[in-house]
Amino acid sequence: MVRSLYEGEIFADYFQIYLRDEDHPDLPDDYSEESLERYLMAGSYAVIVRTARNMTVPVCVTWHDRKPEPDLNAFQHIAEAGFGCPTGRLILAGLTDDEQASPRFSVKAGQLGLRINLSGLDTLTEDGLDGGDRYLLQLWPAAGPADVRVLKAWQSA
């Protein structure tokens, strides 16, 4: 079963958005070249998704009862990881957003799997302000934490 948790826009200030457990404010801080190329950083209770634009971007978050099969043909970049959500409550925000106004949603408490599916990365205007980039975040219950793994890597021109 698939359930939509969020569909809207998030201001990706500093080219990033994050998803974290409501009671755990610490975000991952591995800004290595490798982590930037993966478009995904994972911590104990949060993940950061790198975006192609430093602007408001469309984001969709879905919940799956079990790990979905990846659609390698539909997206330009796909990566996955795991993190903990002991409260069962997640906050989705841009790095400088006011979290009081940020989207929140409920999931099954415990370890979560996450897959990011990015498309439209090659549609940005020359100034980088506009584009058709899209960000699908898929969540599911997981057995334990998992390191970041890239299933399909975007190679910009």
Side-chain angles (χ1 to χ4, degrees), residues 34-41 49-52 70-80 115-122 134-138 148-156:
E34 181 183 5
S35 70
L36 293 174
E37 288 174 3
R38 294 185 303 220
Y39 283 82
L40 180 62
M41 290 175 262
V49 179
R50 184 179 143 218
T51 62
D71 188 346
L72 299 175
N73 295 321
F75 301 96
Q76 292 170 308
H77 186 89
I78 302 172
E80 54 188 36
R115 180 178 301 131
I116 61 166
N117 303 273
L118 284 52
S119 63
L121 300 175
D122 57 348
R134 298 198 165 292
Y135 304 85
L136 169 62
L137 284 59
Q138 298 171 301
V148 175
R149 186 170 72 112
V150 175
L151 304 179
K152 182 177 181 180
W154 163 248
Q155 301 296 326
S156 59

Side-chain angles (χ1 to χ4, degrees), residues 16-141:
Q16 55 193 320
I17 58 176
Y18 65 85
L19 192 60
R20 73 166 181 85
D21 180 80
E22 188 173 62
D23 285 355
H24 294 86
D26 292 336
L27 298 174
D29 60 1
D30 172 20
Y31 288 94
S32 67
E33 192 65 36
E34 181 183 5
S35 70
L36 293 174
E37 288 174 3
R38 294 185 303 220
Y39 283 82
L40 180 62
M41 290 175 262
S44 297
Y45 304 103
V47 294
I48 292 176
V49 179
R50 184 179 143 218
T51 62
R53 291 186 291 145
N54 185 32
M55 302 297 293
T56 300
V57 297
V59 177
C60 179
V61 182
T62 57
W63 175 261
H64 303 259
D65 290 336
R66 63 180 160 253
K67 184 177 181 177
E69 288 296 319
D71 188 346
L72 299 175
N73 295 321
F75 301 96
Q76 292 170 308
H77 186 89
I78 302 172
E80 54 188 36
F83 67 104
C85 183
T87 66
R89 297 278 303 152
L90 289 169
I91 298 172
L92 174 66
L95 195 60
T96 58
D97 282 349
D98 174 9
E99 283 193 352
Q100 298 305 314
S102 295
R104 297 169 188 267
F105 32 86
S106 297
V107 296
K108 182 178 178 185
Q111 288 293 318
L112 302 178
L114 166 83
R115 180 178 301 131
I116 61 166
N117 303 273
L118 284 52
S119 63
L121 300 175
D122 57 348
T123 64
L124 272 57
T125 56
E126 192 172 312
D127 61 10
L129 299 178
D130 293 303
D133 49 323
R134 298 198 165 292
Y135 304 85
L136 169 62
L137 284 59
Q138 298 171 301
L139 294 163
W140 62 88

